Amino acid sequence: MATERYPHLKVTDPTVYNLILQQEALERSTLKMIASENFASFSVLEATGSPLTNKYAEGYPAARYYEGNAVIDEIEDLAITRLKALFGAEHVNVQCLSGSPANQAVYRAVMKPGDKVMGIPVSEGGHLTHGWKVNFSGKDYLQVPYGPNPETGILDYDQIREIALKERPRMIWCGTTAYPRTIHYDKFAEIATEIEAYLVADIAHISGLIAGGVHPNPVPYCDLVSSTTHKMLRGPRSGFILSRVEDRYQQKYYADSKLNLAKRIDRAIFPGLQGGPHMNVIAAMAVAFKEASEDSFKVYAQQVVKNAQTLGAYLQEAGIHLACGGTDTHLLLLDFRAEEFTGKDVSQALARAGIICNFNMVPGDQRKPMVTSGVRMGTPGITSMGMKEDDMKKVAEWITRVVRSIHTETAESVEKAVAAEIADYTKSFKVPGLSD
Ligand SMILES: *Cc1c(COP(=O)(O)O)cnc(C)c1O
């Protein structure tokens, strides 16, 4: 028999209880196709919801500023050991509160205010923290922009090298929020080494692909790697940094400092930016790292890519254009530049039909960022539900029907019909962390 969910909350705060159940019902009956979302397991949720939330543990294992942390040290050490093994990293920090704070710590560890940082602008698929003007990263540092080729949508490494040689940034970000193709860290590493820049991979979106063995691992090529844990990696909402121990530019930039790169990262997080770590979340990270190290996660990661490629092929067959001509990853960018409707029109129509994704700029986009010509979608969520290639045929049909009906008289009835079909279809799938 299914046990009752949230029995205490139901009694003490029925308002919040009902809102949580409403969101759960929504996620059970629709397709979660936001490329940065996924379903954490019950085990991850249980650790996140544990009384570890109460403990203060400022500092690091065996060097805390509060008493009573013997067990807490074991938990953080476990998360550290598992994370190091998962990516083959020399040093890790698991205290970052999320992806953006992790990136903030990266700047603090290797940059001085006013230094140049090479990053992809938000409008071309970079993250806010890669130097966008309204973010701390664009206010405190000077962004040297680069991006995918507007015609092909692909990163052009010769062009990236040219910009790097001309501008000589102190640091280069490689990592995006909307790039469907493989990132070649070896090529970035050659460029960074040539100009003696720090190379940092931001793998927030693709850490699950890397852990699952279906995307190259940046660790051998990069000085630092930052990530979230709540995207495809299926952990709690959090972040981490992987680091080399020694700084290859110590003499150049930090000759006076006794701190190596690993120590500078740890100090940047605490006491530089944060106070007490979220130990409930760090315990949940340890759980997620164990899950991600299992063979079943490799099978999952392979299926995520197979599903994205299969879905992409069906959509192309139906006449929908894909940026970059397809995908190597979990992510598809649907390109509607040639249509009279916008990316926002499509994402809103799909949402009404039970397919949840987001509008997104595409390479060469002429429309404004608040409407765009593209839609970004990903397969991590629906693959966690258990969907396979056959199901992608259904998903492609639903998307195609909704897109074709946009701005026609039948739009509303098509959206309603598709929403009902999806609500019915999803009943037979087990959703991690939601279905008993
Ligand atoms: C999601 C993401 C982040 C930031 O993560 P938050 O946890 O939302 O702060 C950073 N970089 C990239 C590339 C991302 O996709």
Side-chain angles (χ1 to χ4, degrees):
M1 203 186 83
T3 49
E4 197 185 6
R5 309 264 284 161
Y6 320 113
H8 303 88
L9 196 56
K10 185 179 180 182
V11 175
T12 63
D13 196 335
T15 313
V16 170
Y17 170 81
N18 281 313
L19 288 170
I20 293 176
L21 288 201
Q22 270 180 47
Q23 180 65 21
E24 287 194 6
L26 197 71
E27 300 209 355
R28 246 180 239 264
S29 58
T30 55
L31 300 180
K32 186 196 272 297
M33 295 194 71
I34 291 184
S36 51
E37 291 185 8
N38 207 340
F39 293 102
S41 68
F42 278 117
S43 305
V44 165
L45 297 180
E46 283 175 10
T48 309
S50 71
L52 292 169
T53 193
N54 301 325
K55 193 72 195 99
Y56 244 108
E58 281 187 0
Y60 287 102
R64 305 284 187 188
Y65 291 82
Y66 291 82
E67 302 306 330
N69 276 313
V71 176
I72 296 299
D73 280 4
E74 278 191 55
I75 291 169
E76 186 165 347
D77 279 333
L78 188 63
I80 288 170
T81 307
R82 287 178 178 175
L83 180 57
K84 276 188 186 170
L86 197 57
F87 292 97
E90 286 179 21
H91 177 78
V92 308
N93 188 304
V94 294
Q95 293 193 3
C96 319
L97 300 179
S98 207
S100 299
N103 287 353
Q104 206 174 349
V106 164
Y107 283 96
R108 292 300 190 140
V110 298
M111 298 273 283
K112 294 271 185 286
D115 280 343
K116 283 185 185 174
V117 55
M118 214 165 131
I120 304 177
V122 170
S123 57
E124 295 177 59
H127 190 257
L128 317 172
T129 54
H130 297 180
W132 199 37
K133 58 183 185 302
V134 300
N135 185 259
F136 80 91
S137 58
K139 291 182 192 286
D140 296 351
Y141 308 95
L142 191 65
Q143 189 192 50
V144 173
Y146 74 95
N149 179 306
E151 256 115 65
T152 61
I154 311 281
L155 289 171
D156 174 344
Y157 294 88
D158 292 331
Q159 195 208 8
I160 294 169
R161 179 170 173 268
E162 260 173 49
I163 298 171
L165 284 173
K166 180 160 168 273
E167 299 282 350
R168 304 242 154 207
R170 177 147 158 176
M171 179 173 111
I172 301 175
W173 282 110
C174 50
T176 100
T177 62
Y179 190 59
R181 292 299 185 184
T182 300
I183 294 183
H184 297 288
Y185 299 112
D186 51 345
K187 294 187 184 163
F188 270 108
E190 269 179 38
I191 296 166
T193 303
E194 189 175 354
I195 62 160
E196 296 191 357
Y198 292 102
L199 181 62
V200 189
D202 180 343
I203 59 170
H205 257 264
I206 57 174
S207 52
L209 295 172
I210 295 163
V214 294
H215 187 282
N217 185 352
V219 165
Y221 301 102
C222 294
D223 300 283
L224 297 161
V225 178
S226 71
S227 185
T228 58
T229 52
H230 48 274
K231 297 184 184 175
M232 189 186 144
L233 196 55
R234 240 168 18 190
R237 293 203 86 80
S238 195
F240 62 74
I241 296 172
L242 315 177
S243 163
R244 287 181 182 159
V245 171
E246 299 304 332
D247 182 348
R248 57 181 169 147
Y249 306 129
Q250 188 88 21
Q251 277 313 313
K252 183 172 178 180
Y253 292 121
Y254 297 96
D256 296 341
S257 173
K258 289 194 184 63
L259 303 178
N260 59 26
L261 186 59
K263 289 231 165 64
R264 295 210 309 275
I265 280 291
D266 285 351
R267 295 236 179 144
I269 296 282
F270 174 85
L273 293 165
Q274 299 179 186
H278 296 185
M279 289 312 306
N280 56 321
V281 174
I282 291 176
M285 287 164 83
V287 174
F289 299 151
K290 177 166 179 280
E291 290 177 357
S293 70
E294 282 159 8
D295 285 342
S296 56
F297 195 86
K298 292 196 171 62
V299 177
Y300 165 66
Q302 287 160 9
Q303 192 65 51
V304 164
V305 177
K306 270 190 242 165
N307 282 352
Q309 290 176 336
T310 306
L311 177 59
Y314 282 129
L315 291 175
Q316 283 175 317
E317 245 172 61
I320 291 177
H321 193 67
L322 297 183
C324 301
T327 183
D328 306 321
T329 65
H330 64 303
L331 186 147
L332 293 165
L333 255 189
L334 282 51
D335 180 349
F336 299 109
R337 276 179 304 169
E339 306 290 346
E340 44 81 30
F341 49 79
T342 67
K344 189 170 185 176
D345 291 331
V346 179
S347 68
Q348 289 183 335
L350 288 172
R352 288 191 294 269
I355 300 165
I356 314 297
C357 53
N358 66 283
F359 60 89
N360 209 101
M361 297 291 272
V362 289
D365 209 327
Q366 299 297 319
R367 289 194 175 104
K368 296 236 158 64
M370 273 314 290
V371 291
T372 78
S373 299
V375 162
R376 187 188 74 163
M377 49 176 65
T379 50
I382 56 175
T383 308
S384 288
M385 289 174 93
M387 291 195 183
K388 299 228 159 64
E389 288 97 317
D390 285 349
D391 305 301
M392 294 308 109
K393 188 163 191 192
K394 290 292 301 180
V395 174
E397 274 171 24
W398 287 320
I399 293 169
T400 308
R401 272 165 64 195
V402 172
V403 170
R404 288 205 180 123
S405 79
I406 287 178
H407 294 174
T408 71
E409 276 168 18
T410 60
E412 200 181 330
S413 65
V414 168
E415 287 162 13
K416 281 208 170 112
V418 170
E421 285 172 39
I422 288 174
D424 188 51
Y425 195 79
T426 49
K427 279 188 189 134
S428 60
F429 293 92
K430 260 184 90 162
V431 187
L434 286 179
S435 315
D436 286 305

